[in-house]
């Protein structure tokens, strides 16, 4: 994989102005009203947790469960980092919603032709070299974007050099690593972060799927063998019966 | 499919006083109100009804036909009609108003009753087809042959129902063909969809002789049956492998829910557990179908066969229970076994229905040798199985989703209508096709069938 982009959200820097929300809504043409939870018209929201503000958005996992779940490959991890959604492929099974360890994707339940919605870190803008709309709008530099390795280094530097930070980078190990990192001075559990598994989820199904050829080969061979034995037995039994008949 | 069954039912395709009807439909007297007829009215034999006719005079032909039509309205038919009306409304709600109007699904609970009961149970309870076919053709257990066609028919109808359900379940059902051309081989659901597509084809082919036998042209019939006979073993073999794969991969779907699904159900061995539980449940469903056919249709089967199958079901349930137990203790679910939570209660209800009750009941000879008791035991197995699938797909995910999902009535209505349609289809299949051996005395309208000529 070539060098990919990642985002760092520093919760200590967020001032709760919701400029990121507004920029996101504007670029997607959604109604301007601020929402409290992620929705089909809010790919990012700023949550109030006492005196801390926490941005929610798709984590754009390195090895996304949603992309491995999607049977038609509508969800894809791009080499640039964002996990994109191709609505022309989607058939609306919603397995991605079941699979996501962060409960991010949203579904258009009230539409007659409903699609899945989620943040894709402004993939189209990033492909043109522009930052995501939310990052561009942030006046406090609470959200920054950069090459993933450099962003991770930056996060480590902040966490190690300043004692106020919790010694954890949320997203460095969650679900096997993500393209969005959070650092905070308040424990992540208290801010509503999910204690996601610390490994990539698709490996779980990859193991099971890896068994398919074995099952087909061994199972097929075993069943054929059993059938051969069954046939052979029937033939022997028939021959025996024939002999008995001849003797008598 | 729903609509056509409904019409058939309303028109009363079934002849009025056939012997086959004794169990299901008691003829109602014509002069009573449809729904409000009293117990005594219902019990009135059809002979009285015939006398009634005589008194009215033969020339009133049109009135006579109306009366005949009314006489065909029975309690069960009214119930079936109501179910289909509700199902029709659910269909309207789903396709004209959308998910929000027809279901209580939300983002934290994106899969509900239609997946949990419709797909997971529909496919699981259809496992009898491949199990019996493999037993008879590959393992040479000839004594199960009488069950074969029933098992295949139940499975075929089961898969058909699942596919009908899929059309409701998918957000964009007109794209149901997408997996054929758009591949993601890392997706368990992709494997499931391919296996289900292929296995449904296999089932259709396995079921086809029952229909082809009724073709009046002898040469076409024989050509097809000969050709079918030649590929049959291959079909059974492929069907067994495909079934084994997707029965277990339905469990594999939930491997990705690590951290979300309750530890009482989450396990890296979910695929094996789904496979091990589907076979006894599928066999139990087949037994139920056979028992009901014998009880309410004109079918003659040596019910001793049920007792034999039950002796296979019990050890399968024990194997499943042992596997599940070891799995719970090795993967950390065991510490939740005795906590006072809704999940734990659901877990024990499931285990009691699926394992404890059937195993204890089947260990008694008195139960094993009584078809009625066996039937109820099989019902327990099926209910326990459904509890398991609903626990995995709904109960076990409730805590992590932080919402309490209760299906909307339209979700129940549609599921019920699909099941009813499948049951009706099975009933007509047994009545008109050679699924189970019929009693020698055949109803009038059957005699002209091709099989009777042949």
């Amino acid at each position: 994989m070539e060098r990919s982009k990642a985002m760092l959200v520093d919760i200590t820097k967020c001032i709760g102005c919701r400029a990121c929300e507004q920029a996101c809504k504007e670029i997607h043409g959604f109604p301007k009203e601020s929402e409290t939870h992620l929705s089909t018209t809010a790919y990012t929201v700023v949550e109030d947790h006492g005196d801390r503000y926490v941005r929610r958005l798709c984590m754009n996992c390195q090895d996304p469960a949603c992309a491995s779940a999607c049977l038609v490959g509508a969800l894809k991890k791009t080499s640039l980092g964002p996990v994109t959604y191709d609505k022309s492929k989607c058939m609306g099974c919603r397995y991605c919603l079941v699979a996501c360890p962060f409960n991010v994707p949203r579904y258009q339940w009230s539409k007659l032709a409903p699609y899945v919605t989620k943040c894709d870190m402004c993939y189209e803008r990033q492909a043109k070299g522009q930052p995501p709309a939310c990052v561009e709008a942030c006046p406090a530099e609470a959200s920054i974007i950069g090459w993933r390795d450099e962003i991770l280094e930056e996060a480590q530097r902040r966490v190690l050099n300043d004692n106020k930070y919790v010694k954890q980078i949320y997203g460095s190990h969650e679900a096997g690593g993500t393209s969005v990192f959070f650092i905070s001075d308040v424990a992540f559990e208290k801010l509503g972060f999910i204690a996601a598994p610390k490994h990539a989820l698709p490996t779980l199904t990859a193991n099971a799927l890896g068994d398919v050829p074995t099952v087909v080969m061994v199972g097929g061979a075993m069943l054929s063998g059993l059938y051969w034995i069954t046939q052979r037995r029937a033939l022997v039994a028939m021959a025996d019966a024939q002999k008995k008949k001849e003797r008598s | 499919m729903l609509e056509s069954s409904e019409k058939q039912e309303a028109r009363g395709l079934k002849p009025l006083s056939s012997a086959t009807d004794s169990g299901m439909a008691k003829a109602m007297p014509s002069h009573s109100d449809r729904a409000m007829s009293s117990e005594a009215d219902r019990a009135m034999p059809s002979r009285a009804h015939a006398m009634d006719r005589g008194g009215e005079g033969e020339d009133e032909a049109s009135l006579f036909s109306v009366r005949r039509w009314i006489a065909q309205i029975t309690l069960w038919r009214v119930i079936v009609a109501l179910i289909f009306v509700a199902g029709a409304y659910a269909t309207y709600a789903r396709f004209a108003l959308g998910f929000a109007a027809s279901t209580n699904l939300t983002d934290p609970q994106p899969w509900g009753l239609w997946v949990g009961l419709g797909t997971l149970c529909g496919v699981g309870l259809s496992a009898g087809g491949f199990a019996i076919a493999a037993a008879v053709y590959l393992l040479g257990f000839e004594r199960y042959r009488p069950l074969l066609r029933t098992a295949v028919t139940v499975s075929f109808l089961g898969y058909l129902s699942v596919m009908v359900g899929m059309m409701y379940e998918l957000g964009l059902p007109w794209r149901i063909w997408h997996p054929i051309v758009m591949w993601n081989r890392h997706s368990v659901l992709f494997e499931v969809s391919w296996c289900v597509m292929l296995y449904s084809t296999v089932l259709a082919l396995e079921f086809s002789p029952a229909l082809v036998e009724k073709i009046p042209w002898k040469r076409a019939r024989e050509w097809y049956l000969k050709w079918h006979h030649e590929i049959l073993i291959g079909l059974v073999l492929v069907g067994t492998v495909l079934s084994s794969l997707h029965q277990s991969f339905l469990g594999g779907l939930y491997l990705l829910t690590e951290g979300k699904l309750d530890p009482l159900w989450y396990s890296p061995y979910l695929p094996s557990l789904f496979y091990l539980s589907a076979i006894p449940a599928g066999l139990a469903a087949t037994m139920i179908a056979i028992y009901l056919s014998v009880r309410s249709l004109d079918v003659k089967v040596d019910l001793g066969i049920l007792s034999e199958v039950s002796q296979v079901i019990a050890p399968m349930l024990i194997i499943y229970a042992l596997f599940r137990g070891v799995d719970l203790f090795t993967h950390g679910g065991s510490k939740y076994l005795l906590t006072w939570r809704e999940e734990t209660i659901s877990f024990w209800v499931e285990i009691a229905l699926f394992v404890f009750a059937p195993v204890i009941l089947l260990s008694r000879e008195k139960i094993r040798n009584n078809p009625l008791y066996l039937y109820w035991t099989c019902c327990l197995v099926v209910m326990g199985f459904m509890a398991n699938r609903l626990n995995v797909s709904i109960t076990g995910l409730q805590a992590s989703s932080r919402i309490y999902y209760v299906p909307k009535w339209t979700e129940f209505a549609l599921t019920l209508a699909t099941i009813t349609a499948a049951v009706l289809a099975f009933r007509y299949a047994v009545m008109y096709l050679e699924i189970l051996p019929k009693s020698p005395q055949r109803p009038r309208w059957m005699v002209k069938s091709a099989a009777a000529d042949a």
Side-chain angles (χ1 to χ4, degrees):
Chain A
M1 197 189 272
E2 45 186 288
R3 242 175 151 199
S4 69
K5 294 275 189 161
M7 190 190 290
L8 174 63
V9 181
D10 191 335
I11 292 171
T12 64
K13 290 194 171 187
C14 180
I15 54 172
C17 68
R18 297 177 199 277
C20 48
E21 271 184 24
Q22 290 306 313
C24 179
K25 281 175 175 280
E26 192 171 319
I27 203 157
H28 292 105
F30 295 146
K32 284 281 162 62
E33 294 79 42
S34 186
E35 291 174 59
T36 47
H37 299 289
L38 293 183
S39 79
T40 51
T41 52
Y43 296 172
T44 184
V45 292
V46 177
E47 287 177 4
D48 271 326
H49 285 275
D51 50 356
R52 295 290 182 283
Y53 300 99
V54 181
R55 261 193 84 186
R56 298 271 175 233
L57 72 161
C58 174
M59 302 291 286
N60 291 279
C61 304
Q62 290 293 90
D63 190 358
C66 59
S68 88
C70 182
L71 76 165
V72 290
L75 289 153
K76 276 229 160 64
K77 176 75 179 175
T78 58
S79 54
L80 194 59
V83 177
T84 56
Y85 170 67
D86 180 354
K87 68 188 281 186
S88 69
K89 286 186 174 175
C90 180
M91 55 196 283
C93 73
R94 312 186 295 288
Y95 188 26
C96 48
L97 276 78
V98 175
C100 177
F102 302 105
N103 299 328
V104 165
R106 293 292 182 264
Y107 201 62
Q108 297 172 323
W109 295 104
S110 38
K111 295 214 171 161
L112 283 181
Y115 292 98
V116 175
T117 62
K118 74 167 200 69
C119 156
D120 62 355
M121 283 170 86
C122 288
Y123 174 70
E124 281 174 27
R125 283 174 60 97
Q126 288 213 58
K128 284 185 264 173
Q130 294 168 298
C134 55
V135 172
E136 196 175 62
C138 183
E141 291 196 334
S143 300
I144 56 171
I145 190 103
W147 297 112
R148 190 172 186 273
D149 45 356
E150 288 171 15
I151 282 285
L152 200 51
E153 262 170 43
E154 171 67 18
Q156 273 161 350
R157 214 181 56 235
R158 287 190 199 179
V159 168
L160 289 175
N161 293 347
D162 196 334
N163 275 334
K164 72 178 176 187
Y165 285 106
V166 176
K167 297 285 172 270
Q168 182 190 352
I169 301 169
Y170 189 90
S172 59
H173 292 91
E174 277 69 20
T178 62
S179 299
V180 176
F181 304 118
F182 287 87
I183 51 175
S184 160
D185 55 348
V186 176
F188 285 102
E189 310 89 78
K190 288 183 190 158
L191 298 177
F193 282 88
I194 293 168
K198 296 279 192 278
H199 51 85
L201 293 168
T203 41
L204 298 170
T205 47
N207 292 341
L209 288 171
D211 294 340
V212 172
T214 324
V215 170
V216 172
M217 301 287 280
V218 176
M222 253 173 54
L223 290 172
S224 313
L226 286 170
Y227 172 64
W228 185 81
I229 294 172
T230 305
Q231 276 299 87
R232 179 85 195 133
R233 268 185 171 170
L235 282 175
V236 170
M238 237 153 61
D240 280 356
Q242 196 82 36
K243 259 186 213 160
K244 256 185 204 165
K245 218 181 187 180
E246 277 166 18
R247 242 179 266 155
S248 62
Chain B
M1 188 172 129
L2 299 187
E3 223 176 290
S4 69
S5 317
E6 190 184 350
K7 271 185 201 149
Q8 285 186 348
E9 192 62 11
R11 264 192 262 124
L13 261 180
K14 229 152 8 89
L16 174 57
S17 56
S18 72
T20 53
D21 258 354
S22 55
M24 287 281 276
K26 296 173 190 156
M28 269 195 188
S30 51
H31 50 77
S32 69
D33 188 285
R34 288 181 198 184
M36 310 242 304
S37 69
S38 68
E39 211 42 55
D41 279 343
R42 212 175 301 149
M44 202 184 270
S46 49
R47 222 181 303 132
H49 167 67
M51 270 164 33
D52 227 350
R53 279 184 208 157
E56 304 266 328
E58 284 86 350
D59 49 348
E60 291 173 285
S62 62
L63 186 65
F64 175 61
S65 69
V66 169
R67 279 171 169 270
R68 256 183 60 154
W69 190 80
I70 291 175
Q72 288 179 23
I73 296 166
T74 62
L75 180 66
W76 281 107
R77 287 182 180 179
V78 170
I79 291 174
V80 166
L82 287 177
I83 289 175
F84 282 139
V85 169
Y89 175 76
T91 307
Y92 164 77
R94 165 66 189 87
F95 293 112
L97 308 174
F99 276 119
S102 55
T103 69
N104 279 343
L105 296 175
T106 49
D107 293 318
Q109 183 73 53
W111 284 357
L113 192 73
W114 290 347
V115 169
L117 199 63
T119 311
L120 295 185
C121 294
V123 171
L125 292 174
S126 304
F130 95 84
I132 299 274
V136 173
Y137 288 113
L138 302 181
L139 308 182
F141 292 126
E142 279 296 323
R143 61 181 184 279
Y144 295 140
R145 197 177 277 273
L147 305 178
L148 195 58
R149 279 203 167 179
T150 316
V152 168
T153 311
V154 168
S155 299
F156 182 53
L157 291 171
Y159 278 83
L160 276 183
S161 318
V162 167
M163 286 190 198
V164 171
M166 268 298 139
M167 302 306 284
Y168 289 79
E169 170 50 34
L170 287 176
L172 309 164
W174 53 92
R175 292 183 176 178
I176 197 163
W177 53 273
H178 273 197
I180 299 173
V181 289
M182 299 168 195
W183 289 24
N184 177 15
R185 271 174 289 180
H186 301 294
S187 168
V188 179
L189 195 55
F190 174 77
E191 300 281 337
V192 170
S193 65
W194 265 88
C195 283
V196 169
M197 277 188 287
L198 293 176
Y199 184 56
S200 302
T201 315
V202 168
L203 270 176
L205 286 171
E206 282 183 7
F207 175 75
S208 61
L211 284 176
V212 172
E213 283 164 3
K214 300 287 173 189
I215 294 179
W217 307 294
K218 195 172 172 219
R219 274 180 63 187
R221 200 166 68 217
E222 280 176 355
W223 172 81
Y224 182 86
L225 292 178
K226 194 176 162 226
W227 172 79
H228 185 269
H229 184 76
E230 272 167 21
I231 62 161
L232 185 58
I233 293 298
L235 277 181
V236 172
L237 216 143
V238 170
T240 309
V241 173
L242 285 173
S243 285
S244 305
L245 283 177
H246 74 267
Q247 290 289 358
S248 35
F249 277 151
L250 281 179
L253 288 177
Y254 288 89
L255 286 174
L256 282 176
T257 61
E258 194 194 32
K260 289 168 129 187
L261 184 60
D262 193 273
L264 284 176
W265 291 284
Y266 186 83
S267 150
Y269 292 102
L270 266 173
S272 318
L273 287 167
F274 264 54
Y275 185 58
L276 287 177
S277 54
I279 299 176
L283 291 177
T286 309
M287 281 170 68
I288 290 175
I290 290 180
Y291 177 80
L292 287 178
S293 305
V294 170
R295 205 194 66 175
S296 68
L297 299 171
D298 197 17
V299 157
K300 223 173 121 185
V301 183
D302 176 15
L303 287 173
I305 190 75
L306 296 189
S307 164
E308 281 196 42
V309 178
S310 77
Q311 283 169 343
V312 182
I313 292 182
M316 280 179 170
L317 292 177
I318 294 171
I319 291 171
Y320 170 77
L322 287 176
F323 198 100
R324 184 97 190 262
V326 171
D327 181 62
L328 274 172
F329 279 94
T330 48
H331 293 105
S334 54
K335 56 177 175 275
Y336 298 96
L337 282 176
L338 295 171
T339 48
W340 186 253
R341 311 178 304 153
E342 200 198 316
E343 285 88 349
T344 307
I345 298 168
S346 304
F347 171 83
W348 284 114
V349 168
E350 168 201 323
I351 294 294
L353 285 171
F354 192 58
V355 178
F356 291 150
V359 169
I360 292 170
L361 288 171
L362 289 177
S363 69
R364 292 164 173 268
E365 209 171 323
K366 197 179 142 203
I367 307 266
R368 279 204 308 270
N369 292 333
N370 183 321
L372 180 65
Y373 293 161
L374 266 182
Y375 163 74
W376 283 110
T377 311
C378 286
C379 288
L380 288 181
V381 173
V382 168
M383 281 195 290
F385 176 83
M386 299 197 323
N388 172 260
R389 295 309 194 252
L390 289 174
N391 280 339
V392 170
S393 60
I394 297 170
T395 321
L397 288 166
Q398 211 122 55
S400 65
S401 69
R402 299 199 195 103
I403 59 137
Y404 198 84
Y405 163 77
V406 179
K408 209 170 204 161
W409 76 267
T410 36
E411 288 179 74
F412 284 111
L414 184 83
T415 307
L416 202 59
T418 317
I419 295 171
T420 311
V423 171
L424 271 185
F426 179 76
R427 183 181 152 80
Y428 285 115
V430 172
M431 280 166 60
Y432 292 100
L433 306 174
E434 309 296 318
I435 305 296
L436 283 161
K438 296 189 175 60
S439 298
Q441 194 185 21
R442 289 199 177 180
R444 257 176 300 127
W445 82 99
M446 287 281 318
V447 178
K448 285 206 172 149
S449 71
D453 298 340

